[in-house]
Amino acid sequence: MGGYASTMSSMVLPENKKAKGSSSQINHAYLLTASEVATQIRAGTMTVEEYARSLLRRIDDRDSAVKAWAYIDKKYVIEQAKALDKVPFANRGPLHGVPVAVKDVIYTKDMPTQHGSPIHEGDFPKIDADSIAILRKAGVLILGKTNTTEFAATTIGGVTCNPHDPLRTPGGSSSGTGAAIGDFQAPIGLGTQTGGSTIRPASFNGVYALKPTWNSISREGQKFYALIFDTLGLYARSVDDLDLLADAFALADDEESAFAGVQGARFAVCKTMAWNEAGPGTVKALQRATELLRSHGARVDEIELPPEFNDLPELHETALFAEGRVTFLSPYRVAKDLLSPFLAEHVENPYPISRKQQLAAFDKMAALRPKFDEIASHYDAVLVPSVPDEAPVGHEFTGNAIFCAIWSALHVPVVNIPGFQGEHGMPIGVSLVAPRYYDRHLLKVSKAVGPIFEAEGGWKRKNVPVIDVGPADGF
């Protein structure tokens, strides 16, 4: 099983010992992956309430350092958990009782949605996004809303800190979700990506993430930046957990993957046209990832994208600003004084983007998508950088998204795989990409590659503090 919490599988209680488990086991339950949690709840060896209390104790212990949450009501979490425990086993969904952290640009009918903006402080739309409605039907417990940069559209950091070094950024714009998953405050989470807002935080926080094929999951009920790029992102600490979410969202390829393991598989490694942005950590990570694949019996070809792909970062930026001036017209007109200057500039358009330039960017990207699909179809996956380097020091800047924006522009699925580290011991991920609508194939490949990178890539997360306290009476 991939994921650095898989060692906790020894926690599983005998099936004839129905909940509750020992206090020590329950207090350690926050270390479990979503798959392990679902298994225990299904077996009756742990209740939803017990697991929820373990997470809330973890949040109580760590929230002052990480600050991942924009909104969390602990009493309501326990109310939800108790209600889920009363559901008959025969009526339970595949994710019954598994808590999910939700980026605060995604509507939740029982919690505020504030978009990281003072314009929407305290707003309570009282409607579920499609993604939330789907997950509720699968049985999840909505844990709370996580911090985001303003409208998920700026690189200006907020209050959230990197759990591995509070002096560094957790990335953005899915700052809180990436940090919460990386700090064991939730097993799975939702983010969004327009440029690099899912993959970059996953790399910086040392977790797995899937940016699926564009528009393969409904975006109804989440804040838009650029419709042509916006995608719901999925976070977890194992690929098994990403598979659970992919099942819930009915992600499916046309054909079942024929991938049979790393031995004998064929990969490409592509540094991309943005390679001059790579720092020493990413250079070493991509080199080490290539070596590991080869040492485990894979063939790895070094490829370069044809010259016609060289303008992709600029094409992405042109389309982004063109769409942003439509998206942010309303807040600009209604509350310009509360809108960041960066977003106001989209409307005021200091970068004069003509409709002709906009259409040219749209059309060029559209023409490149099937060309990349053809290139990638000759490999089991293409190995690429996730980020320029480890998370930068400071919270003013969430990091450069250039290595992610390429794949957002091409609409392809991307999985960040942790396991490598930078010069200061911070996590660095690398990504695997595949042609459009090969999401399940890519997850299958990632499930084989992930354990190799985690075991041999060089990054070892610091010891997780053990919280061994009595019953939590405060919620």
Side-chain angles (χ1 to χ4, degrees):
M1 179 183 295
Y4 46 67
S6 60
T7 55
M8 295 303 297
S9 59
S10 60
M11 283 180 50
V12 178
L13 303 174
E15 289 199 18
N16 61 357
K17 184 179 180 182
K18 298 302 180 184
K20 301 179 179 181
S22 73
S23 61
S24 177
Q25 288 169 320
I26 297 305
N27 287 334
H28 287 74
Y30 67 88
L31 294 171
L32 294 169
T33 65
S35 301
E36 292 165 342
V37 169
T39 296
Q40 290 211 34
I41 291 173
R42 188 163 50 246
T45 56
M46 183 169 64
T47 67
V48 179
E49 182 182 351
E50 286 171 332
Y51 180 61
R53 288 186 183 277
S54 177
L55 287 177
L56 291 177
R57 281 190 283 268
R58 174 67 174 171
I59 292 168
D60 269 354
D61 186 64
R62 294 285 293 162
D63 187 54
S64 61
V66 179
K67 303 179 181 71
W69 301 95
Y71 177 88
I72 187 166
D73 182 338
K74 296 169 187 176
K75 290 184 178 180
Y76 182 57
V77 169
I78 297 304
E79 288 176 14
Q80 288 185 85
K82 288 179 176 179
L84 287 165
D85 279 328
K86 292 178 182 178
V87 175
F89 277 75
N91 297 338
R92 295 183 172 187
L95 287 171
H96 186 86
V98 177
V100 60
V102 179
K103 184 176 181 177
D104 195 28
V105 293
I106 302 170
Y107 286 172
T108 44
K109 64 184 179 184
D110 47 1
M111 299 176 187
T113 303
Q114 303 174 95
H115 304 289
S117 166
I119 297 172
H120 291 281
E121 185 175 354
D123 277 8
F124 210 120
K126 296 187 179 181
I127 188 172
D128 275 341
D130 281 1
S131 56
I132 299 300
I134 289 167
L135 290 180
R136 285 196 205 271
K137 188 64 177 178
V140 303
L141 185 160
I142 305 299
L143 190 57
K145 306 299 284 292
T146 55
N147 283 316
T148 174
T149 67
E150 187 177 352
F151 290 114
T154 73
T155 58
I156 302 168
V159 299
T160 304
C161 302
N162 193 300
H164 308 293
D165 181 351
L167 298 179
R168 294 176 184 267
T169 179
S173 60
S174 305
S175 311
T177 301
I181 306 305
D183 198 50
F184 295 94
Q185 296 185 34
I188 54 175
L190 301 183
T192 63
Q193 179 157 314
T194 309
S197 293
T198 292
I199 297 300
R200 184 165 79 259
S203 178
F204 288 170
N205 292 285
V207 299
Y208 288 89
L210 167 66
K211 183 209 81 70
T213 299
W214 176 79
N215 210 30
S216 59
I217 300 176
S218 172
R219 299 163 296 165
E220 182 72 27
Q222 71 186 52
K223 180 62 181 175
F224 294 130
Y225 182 175
L227 275 169
I228 196 173
F229 303 130
D230 288 348
T231 309
L232 188 77
L234 312 179
Y235 284 92
R237 292 194 300 271
S238 76
V239 181
D240 287 331
D241 292 0
L242 292 179
D243 260 330
L244 284 178
L245 286 167
D247 286 343
F249 289 117
L251 295 183
D253 302 350
D254 284 344
E255 299 176 357
E256 186 175 348
S257 172
F259 177 76
V262 174
Q263 177 73 37
R266 188 180 182 192
F267 292 84
V269 58
C270 181
K271 295 177 179 178
T272 80
M273 75 294 293
W275 188 240
N276 64 331
E277 299 284 347
T282 285
V283 170
K284 291 179 181 178
L286 202 65
Q287 180 182 358
R288 181 61 178 153
T290 302
E291 292 171 351
L292 286 174
L293 290 175
R294 286 173 174 159
S295 70
H296 283 265
R299 172 181 170 181
V300 184
D301 298 334
E302 297 186 20
I303 66 169
E304 292 185 5
L305 296 176
E308 59 197 298
F309 284 81
N310 287 347
D311 293 336
L312 260 177
E314 291 75 21
L315 296 173
H316 176 272
E317 185 176 88
T318 296
L320 192 67
F321 277 92
E323 293 226 322
R325 66 186 171 198
V326 175
T327 300
F328 298 114
L329 179 62
S330 172
Y332 179 85
R333 292 274 177 86
V334 172
K336 177 184 175 182
D337 291 344
L338 297 178
L339 190 66
S340 72
F342 172 74
L343 299 183
E345 286 172 0
H346 285 61
V347 179
E348 295 167 349
N349 198 16
Y351 316 102
I353 300 169
S354 68
R355 295 305 184 190
K356 182 178 180 179
Q357 289 173 307
Q358 178 181 350
L359 288 172
F362 283 10
D363 293 346
K364 287 177 182 178
M365 286 186 292
L368 291 174
R369 289 172 192 139
K371 292 180 180 179
F372 179 78
D373 289 346
E374 169 61 23
I375 293 168
S377 70
H378 297 287
Y379 302 96
D380 288 292
V382 181
L383 176 69
V384 300
S386 291
V387 290
D389 212 317
E390 61 189 353
V393 174
H395 302 123
E396 296 79 17
F397 177 52
T398 60
N400 189 336
I402 191 166
F403 285 114
C404 308
I406 298 163
W407 315 114
S408 294
L410 292 176
H411 289 175
V412 296
V414 187
V415 173
N416 177 76
I417 299 180
F420 307 93
Q421 69 176 14
E423 293 181 324
H424 300 92
M426 294 293 291
I428 294 178
V430 295
S431 288
L432 295 179
V433 300
R436 290 172 294 173
Y437 293 109
Y438 278 75
D439 301 63
R440 300 314 292 258
H441 165 78
L442 187 62
L443 287 173
K444 187 175 183 181
V445 176
S446 299
K447 192 178 295 188
V449 171
I452 295 172
F453 288 178
E454 286 195 81
E456 303 177 54
W459 179 63
K460 304 297 180 186
R461 70 175 290 120
K462 297 175 183 177
N463 291 332
V464 179
V466 174
I467 304 171
D468 194 7
V469 297
D473 297 325
F475 42 83

